[in-house]
Each structure stands twice: as C-alpha cells, then as structure tokens.
Amino acid sequence: MSAAAPTRFEAACLPLRALAGSLDFPADETDGMVACLRVLAASWADAPLAGPPPWSGLGADASGCDYSLVLDGERREIRVTVEAQGDPPSPRSYLAAALALSETLEARYGADLSRLRAVLPVLADPDPQAAGVLWHGAVFRAGRAPWFKVYLHLMAAGRRQARATARAALDRLGLGACWEGVAARLGPDDDLLFLGFDLLPGDAARVKLYLRHAEADAAQLAQHAADPCCREGVRAFVETLAGPGRAVRRGALSAFHLTPGSTAPARVTTHLRLFPHCATSDAVLRDRLRAALRRLGLQTGPYDAALRALAGDDLAEEEGLHGWASLQWAGGRPAVTVYLSPRLYLARFGPVALAPERMWPSPVPGRLACA
C-alpha cells in the first residue's frame, strides 16, 4: 500500500493476502485471488480511501466488500463478496455497474449468465431508495479455478414488493414449485432478503433464498433446519454465539437451498450477524466462535490463524472484524463459515451502514462520495 494516498483496492487486498497466507495458499494462487478481486472491485478500486464511503449495505461500515472462510475440517476455501458501484451512487448506477461486471466475468472467466439474464427483468426498475440491487461473490479453493455467484436484493423494487419479486424470480428460474414451501416458513414480519445462485451451468449451480427473521431465538431458528437430526446442533450454535434464551432481532437469516420440482428446501443454512447483534467485542466473539466450533467437533486452528493474520493475538480493543457466521449441514457433517470485514471505514466513521441517517449517495451525513 502506498503511504501517500492509498486506494480502496490497496486497502481491501491486504486482508485477502493475509487470509490466503494463514491458510497456506501458494503464492501464485494468492496472486490470482488478488487479481480476481481487482476485477470484481474495478468500479471502485482506484477511489482514494481517504474519501468518505459511497453507500453500501455490504459491511457495517459500508466497506463494499467482505471475506469469509469455510471451516469444515477439510476445505481450504476463501470467499469474497463485492458490490459493484456506480458514480454518482444510486441503485440504478449500481445495477449498471453490476451488469457490466457480470459480462466481464463471463468474458474473462467463463461465468454462466443464463440464470442472471433470466431474472434481470425483475430488477429492471429498482426503487431509488433501495438498499442494494446486486452483489457478486467469488469462491477460491486451493488447487481450483475461481467460480462466481450473485446475490439479488429482493427488496430492490421496494420492501413491500419483495415477496412478489421473489416469486417472479423463482418462476423465471423454473423453481416456482418451491414457493409453497418458502411461503409456509414466512412469518408476518419476516423479510425475503436475497436470492443467490452460482454462475455455473446446469445442475452444478446452487440456488438459495435468504429469509431474514424479524426476531428469532435459537429454538425457532432450529425449527427451520431441513433435517430434524441437525436441529440440536443449530440450537447449540445459535445459543453459543448469541447467548441462551436470547432472541436476535433482524440479525438472523435462514437460507433455503432450492431444487427443481421440490416444495421443501433440500438444506437450510443458518446465518447470524455477529457484530453488533451478538456482541461488539471481537475478543468475545472469538471466544464464542471457538466454543461453537468445538461443540460441532471442528478444529479451531484455521480460524485462529486467520484472526492472527488479520488482527494479531490481542483482540481486546478490536471491534467490527466479525461480520456474520453461518452453519450448514450436508451429509450429516457441519460446516461453519465466518464472514470477516476489511473495516475500510470503521475507524473513521463507525458502523454507519447499520442504522444510517441516509443511504445515498453516502451514509456519512453532509458528505458526498464518488465510487
């Protein structure tokens, strides 16, 4: 990073390199990750970090990107999520930037855009005050080429339209039969937040629908598990992170894995927002995550190494590094994913994206930002 005027990309690639090093990715694969991040972040990569952040709901501090690592005892896998951004910042300019990025991923990496093109009509007219429209994710696994996915904001056309938007998108993906099973799980104040799918052809692509619970405790989240045998594990995971008997308000998601012809989700992933819903201190969240991993029979070594690479050994004064944690069961085996923030703006502006006074063009009051 240059000392005089670091860019957003220069700041954002440092934690990615640190994570890759902590998991012993070879140097050439790490360089490939950074190059891929540069492609994903091209719309804002050269913006000076010294400026205020343009609006983003990705990260408590509007960083516009985050990182995650999968902890299942087997994989060495790092994921990044990035929001393409337009100038001046608005839902329409962000959508245009996201579509341009999608075409770049198709041309450069062979990403399959057939599903995205099928659902684009439901995103064609985003609400001017939508919190987001379309995010991109990349998955880096040791020894493999990266692959990509997208997250469509189901409230992009308006919060009241989210359920209709979700249903229309599922119909366009040939998953209309899944709506019955989803609707049965919706509480009156729950929100459908994202529709996510892989940019892969055919049956290789996963499709997930993310439900944000208005309020849910460990027992309620466990009831959403697709496999009853996993419910005790979900309950213990949530209680360990959030605290026994404590309900999480608008900070818990259930992600339903949908398959053609089925009315019930094949799997359900439970997500918890860690900061600030479970705790504000990264030291506290580290201790709880370690305990949760051990209860699931998972080693803490890769997680400990990642934290050490990002923030050192002393987390006593650290906040905002932990974004989310999720638990998924597949084949009777648990996998935990921990989402970590680069905290590009947290030290200067705090968690401005959590309860913003405004969103567009920047969550920082009285300041304009250019992506």
Side-chain angles (χ1 to χ4, degrees), residues 7-13 16 33-47 58 63-67 80-86 97-98 101-102 104-105 108-109 136-138 140 148 344 371:
T7 65
R8 288 179 68 186
F9 173 71
E10 287 174 320
C13 73
L16 180 58
M33 288 185 211
V34 172
C36 185
L37 176 62
R38 185 65 173 79
V39 172
L40 292 167
S43 61
W44 51 258
D46 295 326
L58 181 50
S63 281
C65 61
D66 72 7
Y67 309 98
V80 304
T81 308
V82 175
E83 180 172 49
Q85 299 176 343
L101 171 57
S102 300
T104 298
L105 296 178
R108 191 167 299 189
Y109 293 96
H136 287 77
F140 304 107
F148 304 93
L344 299 185

Side-chain angles (χ1 to χ4, degrees), residues 181-182 185 207 209 213 218-235 253-259 262-271 327-332:
V182 170
R185 290 166 167 80
V207 179
L209 191 63
H213 300 276
Q220 291 166 327
L221 289 169
Q223 286 302 309
H224 283 279
D227 184 349
C229 297
C230 301
R231 288 175 181 165
E232 176 56 28
V234 173
R235 185 198 62 76
L253 310 178
S254 291
F256 305 129
H257 299 235
L258 307 179
T259 54
S262 175
T263 60
R267 295 196 302 276
V268 178
T269 304
T270 303
H271 297 253
L327 172 62
Q328 177 185 156
W329 295 80

Side-chain angles (χ1 to χ4, degrees), residues 143-203:
R144 293 181 56 178
W147 49 275
F148 304 93
K149 49 189 174 180
V150 291
Y151 301 90
L152 283 66
H153 288 244
L154 293 171
M155 290 189 272
R159 183 174 180 180
R160 293 183 179 180
Q161 303 301 318
R163 299 189 185 195
T165 299
R167 188 165 190 176
L170 291 180
D171 284 340
R172 288 178 171 274
L173 294 176
L175 292 167
C178 297
W179 178 253
E180 178 182 343
V182 170
R185 290 166 167 80
L186 284 169
D189 297 319
D190 293 342
D191 293 315
L192 288 177
L193 202 58
F194 300 113
L195 179 66
F197 49 84
D198 301 325
L199 300 181
L200 295 171
D203 294 339

Side-chain angles (χ1 to χ4, degrees), residues 36-354:
C36 185
L37 176 62
R38 185 65 173 79
V39 172
L40 292 167
S43 61
W44 51 258
D46 295 326
L49 184 64
W55 166 253
S56 180
L58 181 50
D61 65 339
S63 281
C65 61
D66 72 7
Y67 309 98
S68 56
L69 63 155
V70 177
L71 304 168
D72 65 359
E74 295 181 351
R75 283 177 286 180
R76 281 190 296 155
E77 183 172 299
I78 296 172
R79 304 171 181 177
V80 304
T81 308
V82 175
E83 180 172 49
Q85 299 176 343
D87 182 16
S90 73
R92 282 189 176 275
S93 72
Y94 279 28
L95 176 58
L99 297 182
L101 171 57
S102 300
E103 292 176 357
T104 298
L105 296 178
E106 179 183 45
R108 191 167 299 189
Y109 293 96
D112 187 295
L113 302 188
S114 56
R115 287 177 177 80
L116 179 59
R117 290 182 173 125
V119 301
L120 279 180
V122 305
L123 297 176
D125 189 24
D127 186 293
Q129 292 303 312
V133 184
L134 182 64
W135 295 346
H136 287 77
V139 179
F140 304 107
R141 189 178 297 177
R144 293 181 56 178
W147 49 275
F148 304 93
K149 49 189 174 180
V150 291
Y151 301 90
L152 283 66
H153 288 244
L154 293 171
M155 290 189 272
R159 183 174 180 180
R160 293 183 179 180
Q161 303 301 318
R163 299 189 185 195
T165 299
R167 188 165 190 176
L170 291 180
D171 284 340
R172 288 178 171 274
L173 294 176
L175 292 167
C178 297
W179 178 253
E180 178 182 343
V182 170
R185 290 166 167 80
L186 284 169
D189 297 319
D190 293 342
D191 293 315
L192 288 177
L193 202 58
F194 300 113
L195 179 66
F197 49 84
D198 301 325
L199 300 181
L200 295 171
D203 294 339
R206 303 163 303 165
V207 179
K208 302 179 190 178
L209 191 63
Y210 292 76
L211 181 159
R212 181 174 64 189
H213 300 276
E215 187 169 279
D217 60 19
Q220 291 166 327
L221 289 169
Q223 286 302 309
H224 283 279
D227 184 349
C229 297
C230 301
R231 288 175 181 165
E232 176 56 28
V234 173
R235 185 198 62 76
F237 179 75
V238 174
E239 284 195 345
T240 303
L241 295 178
R246 181 171 175 268
V248 177
R249 180 170 175 77
R250 294 173 63 81
L253 310 178
S254 291
F256 305 129
H257 299 235
L258 307 179
T259 54
S262 175
T263 60
R267 295 196 302 276
V268 178
T269 304
T270 303
H271 297 253
L272 279 180
R273 185 189 279 276
L274 299 177
F275 173 84
H277 289 63
C278 295
T280 57
S281 165
D282 281 309
V284 171
L285 290 169
R286 174 200 57 199
D287 293 345
R288 293 183 186 178
L289 270 165
R290 283 174 170 169
L293 291 169
R294 292 185 183 114
R295 290 185 73 167
L296 291 165
L298 298 174
Q299 297 295 315
T300 65
Y303 167 65
D304 291 337
L307 282 191
R308 192 175 305 114
L310 292 173
D313 292 315
D314 186 5
L315 297 182
E317 303 299 323
E318 299 288 338
E319 289 188 356
L321 177 60
H322 292 85
W324 293 76
S326 71
L327 172 62
Q328 177 185 156
W329 295 80
R333 294 178 57 85
V336 171
T337 302
V338 180
Y339 298 77
L340 301 163
S341 172
R343 301 183 291 181
L344 299 185
Y345 301 104
L346 190 69
R348 286 184 291 147
F349 301 115
V352 289
L354 292 182

